[in-house]
Amino acid sequence: MRRTLAATAALSLALVVSACGSDSDTDAGASTPATSSAAPTSASPSASESAAASADIVDTAVAAGGFTTLATALEAAGLVETLKGEGPYTVFAPTDEAFTALPDGTLDDLLADPQGALTDVLTYHVVPGKVMAADVATMDGQEVETVNGEKLTIGVDGDTVTLTDTSGGEVTVTQTDIEATNGVIHVIDGVLVPKG
């Protein structure tokens, strides 16, 4: 599973880079879209989040609070060790409230199928590479491929960044650039659901 996810991540990264048409490299050696000085929906991380930059994505999310359901789901799907790996990864992290807003029974159904539907949904929230808020400032209308293999469409309207999933659902990025040792977390107000 871990090798498959890593191979998928590498392939997805190549597709993201070619789709975005960028040759720039990040600190970690992964390519990302052209950057801009604007940082849509950027929020300054709190002192605890800044200190968490010395932790991996999973530990950073747990320390930030508000991601208990996500942490439980990652553990159930066996993805904790993967997201503690080298990366870099960009994770769009739904809050506990976002999971609560799912239709009744949806979360229970996902948790009942950890290696199937749950893994599909969780890997749909991960993009290979470290993509900071400034990277998406000029990406309005562009698609990025997730580790899941499905695409997300980015919407940029002033300081508001949205992600539209292949099911037609739209979520808003509410906080950005929570850095971790192996990538970055952006907080979203909904759960992304792949069509497939």
Side-chain angles (χ1 to χ4, degrees):
M1 168 77 177
R2 195 167 173 182
R3 284 187 183 160
T4 303
L5 186 56
T8 303
L11 177 60
S12 297
L13 178 57
L15 293 172
V16 168
V17 171
S18 63
C20 296
S22 171
D23 294 327
S24 63
D25 289 339
T26 62
D27 307 2
S31 296
T32 59
T35 60
S36 165
S37 59
T41 69
S42 184
S44 298
S46 67
S48 64
E49 290 165 343
S50 295
S54 62
D56 60 56
I57 286 174
V58 175
D59 292 340
T60 299
V62 169
F67 302 104
T68 306
T69 306
L70 178 60
T72 300
L74 288 170
E75 186 161 334
L79 295 173
V80 170
E81 288 306 311
T82 299
L83 288 179
K84 284 178 157 291
E86 184 177 334
Y89 304 108
T90 298
V91 175
F92 297 105
T95 61
D96 289 338
E97 291 79 14
F99 279 104
T100 301
L102 287 170
D104 288 343
T106 302
L107 183 57
D108 291 335
D109 290 345
L110 290 172
L111 291 170
D113 187 14
Q115 300 305 312
L118 182 61
T119 295
D120 288 345
V121 167
L122 293 174
T123 57
Y124 194 49
H125 289 77
V126 182
V127 173
K130 185 176 181 180
V131 184
M132 304 300 286
D135 297 330
V136 300
T138 59
M139 294 181 64
D140 185 43
Q142 293 188 35
E143 292 183 331
V144 293
E145 189 161 349
T146 66
V147 170
N148 165 289
E150 298 273 345
K151 295 181 180 179
L152 295 171
T153 302
I154 297 172
V156 180
D157 184 9
D159 287 340
T160 302
V161 174
T162 58
L163 302 170
T164 303
D165 60 33
T166 52
S167 296
E170 182 178 280
V171 302
T172 300
V173 178
T174 59
Q175 186 175 1
T176 62
D177 296 345
I178 301 172
E179 293 193 68
T181 56
N182 61 344
V184 63
I185 299 169
H186 303 298
V187 182
I188 55 176
D189 67 357
V191 177
L192 299 161
V193 180
K195 191 174 186 178

